[in-house]
């Protein structure tokens, strides 16, 4: 199913159930009040603006270690801003939520590229991010409450540069969809989107496949290789006075001819090796980290409850 729509069309799946063991409002509660997270792992957004996770600096009397670390979330500040409409965001969750990491890992195995997870908790009648598009295709899984998404076609198929938050979509509204608990919206990269809550607030988690390589990345690798072999490519640009006329024009002609010749000379095996290098790097990212015993490294005995 995914293969036929991947990176092409939005798709809504209904009634998939919750992710209870991996993430829930209760787990968010624990993360905020008990885990001591700091930015960028936890953020607060209002209308696309990052408003920080603590108020003005308080004096540190040396007794409260929570005040020592810059960027440490102040749960009381966070909840007061959420009451005023701010969206709480947990980023890069697989680095500190083993259950989410496990879910990401399984999804990565299914779709063949690394998966990142961010969770969004939006109060009623609020909007966290303004309309924007992402470089990653995402699975938006609704866990509690509801959120209405307005989607606009991509300005160009598969953009490779991120637009600024708040940029206006150049394309008409393509679809409006409301997600309820258990629903999942697959959103191809490049689709403009904005999510708005109504009388209910919303908890959703977004799984994204944003660390994939594209052909343009291989082309960059190829050009780096060609530059190693092509003296004219490594030359300094002339002064700005003649831009692409006079001396510049002549040098560019030489560079272009040299590069064309060098590209022609590249064997299929060399291109394959460059592509393979990227695919192997991706496989390494996908591989689960080996768990190593710290006790073994420290040459100490590991006992439950040791001091
Ligand atoms: Fe987004």
């Amino acid at each position: 199913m995914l293969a036929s729509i991947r990176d092409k069309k939005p798709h809504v799946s209904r009634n998939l159930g919750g992710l209870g063991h991996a993430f829930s409002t209760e787990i968010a509660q624990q993360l905020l009040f008990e885990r001591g997270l700091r930015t960028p792992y936890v953020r607060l957004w209002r209308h696309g603006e990052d408003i920080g996770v603590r108020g003005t600096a308080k004096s540190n009397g040396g007794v409260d270690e929570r005040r020592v670390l810059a960027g440490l979330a102040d749960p009381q500040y966070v909840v007061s801003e959420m009451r005023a409409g701010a969206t709480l965001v947990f980023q890069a969750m697989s680095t500190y939520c083993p259950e989410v990491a496990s879910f990401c890992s399984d999804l990565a195995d299914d779709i063949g590229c690394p998966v990142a997870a961010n969770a969004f908790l939006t109060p009623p009648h609020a909007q966290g991010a303004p309309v924007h598009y992402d470089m990653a295709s995402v699975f938006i899984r609704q866990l509690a409450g509801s959120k209405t998404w307005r989607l606009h076609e991509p300005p160009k198929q598969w953009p490779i540069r991120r637009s600024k938050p708040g940029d206006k979509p150049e394309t008409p509204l393509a679809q409006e969809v409301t997600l309820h608990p258990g629903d999942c919206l697959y959103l191809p990269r490049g689709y403009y989107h904005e999510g708005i809550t109504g009388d209910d607030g919303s908890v959703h988690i977004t799984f994204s496949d944003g660390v994939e390589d594209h052909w343009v990345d291989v082309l960059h690798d190829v050009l780096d290789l060609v530059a190693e072999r092509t003296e004219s490519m490594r030359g300094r640009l002339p002064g700005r006075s003649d831009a692409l006329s006079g001396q510049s024009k002549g040098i560019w002609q030489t560079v272009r001819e040299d590069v064309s010749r060098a590209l022609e000379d590249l064997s299929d095996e060399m291109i394959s090796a460059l592509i393979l290098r990227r695919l192997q790097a991706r496989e390494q990212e996908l591989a689960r980290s080996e768990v190593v015993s710290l006790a073994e490294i420290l040459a100490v005995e590991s006992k439950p409850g040791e001091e």
Side-chain angles (χ1 to χ4, degrees):
M1 168 62 195
L2 179 62
S4 65
I5 59 166
R6 190 166 185 192
D7 286 343
K8 296 184 193 125
K9 287 200 301 192
H11 180 80
V12 180
S13 305
R14 303 281 186 189
N15 303 314
L16 298 177
L19 293 178
H21 64 290
F23 189 69
S24 62
T25 314
E26 289 70 32
I27 292 173
Q29 177 95 18
Q30 288 168 9
L31 288 176
L32 178 62
F33 282 91
E34 299 171 22
R35 193 67 70 87
L37 291 176
R38 55 193 297 189
T39 49
Y41 298 109
V42 58
R43 290 185 185 281
L44 270 180
W45 284 356
R46 187 186 292 126
H47 302 305
E49 189 187 349
D50 185 336
I51 61 173
V53 287
R54 55 188 305 119
T56 51
K58 298 171 188 167
S59 65
N60 175 21
V63 290
D64 181 0
E65 64 182 9
R66 295 181 64 83
R67 294 181 183 174
V68 176
L69 297 172
L72 199 62
D74 175 350
Q76 299 307 327
Y77 172 79
V78 169
V79 293
S80 71
E81 290 299 326
M82 288 179 75
R83 283 200 175 99
T87 291
L88 174 61
V89 184
F90 293 106
Q91 295 193 147
M93 295 187 72
S94 58
T95 59
Y96 52 86
C97 273
E99 295 84 359
V100 171
S102 174
F103 194 92
C104 287
S105 193
D106 290 345
L107 186 54
D109 286 344
D110 282 350
I111 66 176
C113 66
V115 169
N118 301 322
F120 300 79
L121 292 87
T122 306
H125 303 289
Q127 179 173 1
V131 63
H132 67 283
Y133 64 75
D134 295 310
M135 303 305 295
S137 295
V138 296
F139 299 86
I140 299 172
R141 184 80 171 256
Q142 191 71 28
L143 299 177
S146 62
K147 193 170 245 188
T148 297
W149 293 91
R150 292 189 191 132
L151 315 179
H152 295 249
E153 299 264 346
K156 91 170 64 131
Q157 183 79 302
W158 305 331
I160 54 172
R161 288 195 196 283
R162 185 189 296 269
S163 70
K164 292 195 192 88
D167 280 359
K168 288 272 184 293
E170 300 144 12
T171 53
L173 184 69
Q175 197 175 342
E176 188 170 296
V177 58
T178 299
L179 298 186
H180 300 284
D183 294 346
C184 183
L185 167 63
Y186 174 71
L187 192 60
R189 58 193 164 107
Y191 265 78
Y192 278 107
H193 55 283
E194 60 182 333
I196 296 155
T197 52
D199 290 343
D200 296 337
S202 164
V203 179
H204 81 261
I205 188 163
T206 293
F207 299 98
S208 59
D209 68 350
V211 201
E212 210 175 352
D213 300 312
H214 307 115
W215 283 106
V216 65
D217 300 310
V218 174
L219 197 55
H220 285 146
D221 294 344
V222 166
L223 283 178
D224 284 342
L225 184 65
V226 167
E228 290 293 329
R229 303 164 169 210
T230 309
E231 185 180 311
S232 59
M233 267 184 89
R234 305 195 300 271
R236 185 195 297 269
L237 286 179
R240 81 187 260 187
S241 56
D242 65 346
L244 197 56
S245 60
Q247 189 192 8
S248 291
K249 197 166 185 175
I251 296 173
W252 170 242
Q253 291 294 352
T254 304
V255 170
R256 191 157 68 175
E257 286 165 18
D258 288 352
V259 170
S260 297
R261 207 174 304 119
L263 285 173
E264 290 285 321
D265 290 345
L266 279 185
S267 65
D268 287 350
E269 287 74 21
M270 282 175 181
I271 303 293
S272 288
L274 290 175
I275 296 171
L276 204 58
R277 193 175 67 181
R278 283 191 168 268
L279 295 180
Q280 284 170 338
R282 187 198 299 178
E283 279 167 14
Q284 277 180 1
E285 279 189 64
L286 280 171
R288 290 165 209 236
S289 301
E290 182 191 359
V291 176
V292 178
S293 163
L294 285 183
E296 185 189 318
I297 291 169
L298 296 167
V300 296
E301 280 192 44
S302 165
K303 293 184 198 148
E306 66 185 11
E307 298 262 319

